[in-house]
Structures are given as C-alpha cells and as structure tokens.
Amino acid sequence: MNLNRINEDAFALMLADDNMRLIHGVLKSLHISPARNDYEDLLQEGCLIFADAYRRFYQLQPNSSSAEFGKFAFRRIRWRLLDLLRQQKLHELPCLQLENSSSDFNTLDPADPSTLFLAEDIAAVSFFQELWKQCTPKERCYLQSRLHGQNLAAFSREYGVSRQTVYKWRKSVMDKANKILE
C-alpha cells in the first residue's frame, strides 16, 4: 500500500470514527484548554501526528485491532505534543515587557524633588540608557534580573537556559558596557 493511500485512510479514520475526540482528549490530558491562543495550532499538529501514528502503526502491526491503535495513537500524539511544547518553552524567554521597562529610564521629572540627582547619578542613568538600547531582549532580561539582585543560577533556572548561555549574555553585556565607557 502506498503512502498516499495510507494517509488518506488515516484522515478518513480520524474523521469517520470521531477520533477527533482522541486528539481533544490528548490536549486535555496536557492541560491545554480551548481558551489558549495556540489551541487550534496544537489541534492541527495533533491531527498530523495522528496520521503519522496511523502510518507507523500500520507498518509495524498491520493486523492489530483498532483499540490497540487508539492506545498507540494517544501515547504517540501526547509524547509528540509534549516534545513540541517543551521546545517552544525553551525557545521563548518569558521576560517582562521590555518596552515598558525601558521607559523607566526616561521618566525624569526635574520639578519633582525626589528625582533630583547628582551629576554622577545623571551620568549613570545616561550610561544605562545607552547600554539598554544596545542590548538584545535576552540581554535586557539578564540586566533586569541582575538589577533586582537575582543570581546567575536562579536566572538560568527561571528562564530555562543553561548557565553557559547566561555567561555568554553577561560577557556580551560587559563588552557593550566597556565600549560605551571608552
């Protein structure tokens, strides 16, 4: 049986036997609700994984029952979606809105006595403004965490990156700061 025929059979099975419930069940088991922004995307991924699971199952066990396939498909879809979600989590850096944070440096009101700085403080603010502009969003996240007193190990755990990655960001920030000071 050719690959196109297997794929057609897989999609026909998914629609005919109401196996969409299986995919919705997988999403529910992963605590993914329909209110989530990427729910439809994950549902479509689940459909594609279902077709792939059917193809693999058919190749490995052509004479098995549909109940066995259901178990196999559930596990396969769940594992693949879980891998996909983990990859997304690693690649996105849950950081504060940096646009809002960058404006904190620009809100100096000379009429307010609490914002009157010495010359050194004004120079420090202008230095940090320039450094902030030159940093990437990930480096800004690093800077923000360091300004709040968070250590490197805690930062790497919180954002799901290795300490080596954080060291690279720190080195990049230090290089940019040295260029500004020169």
Side-chain angles (χ1 to χ4, degrees), residues 91 93 95 98 135-143 155 169:
H91 290 297
L93 191 59
C95 194
L98 297 175
C135 288
T136 66
K138 292 176 182 178
E139 293 167 348
R140 289 177 182 175
C141 242
Y142 165 77
L143 271 177
F155 177 78
W169 293 346

Side-chain angles (χ1 to χ4, degrees), residues 6-67:
I6 293 173
N7 286 337
E8 288 174 12
D9 290 346
F11 285 112
L13 176 68
M14 182 173 52
L15 297 175
D17 290 344
D18 198 25
N19 281 313
M20 290 297 289
R21 289 180 52 197
L22 177 101
I23 299 169
H24 286 286
V26 170
L27 292 172
K28 186 175 180 179
S29 77
L30 293 172
H31 305 288
I32 298 171
S33 74
R36 190 170 158 156
N37 288 339
D38 60 349
Y39 184 82
E40 291 297 321
D41 295 333
L42 293 170
L43 181 65
Q44 291 302 315
E45 286 289 332
C47 291
L48 294 173
I49 297 167
F50 181 90
D52 181 59
Y54 181 82
R55 181 181 54 79
R56 288 182 183 272
F57 187 79
Y58 178 77
Q59 289 173 348
L60 295 174
Q61 302 170 1
N63 299 326
S64 297
S65 69
S66 62

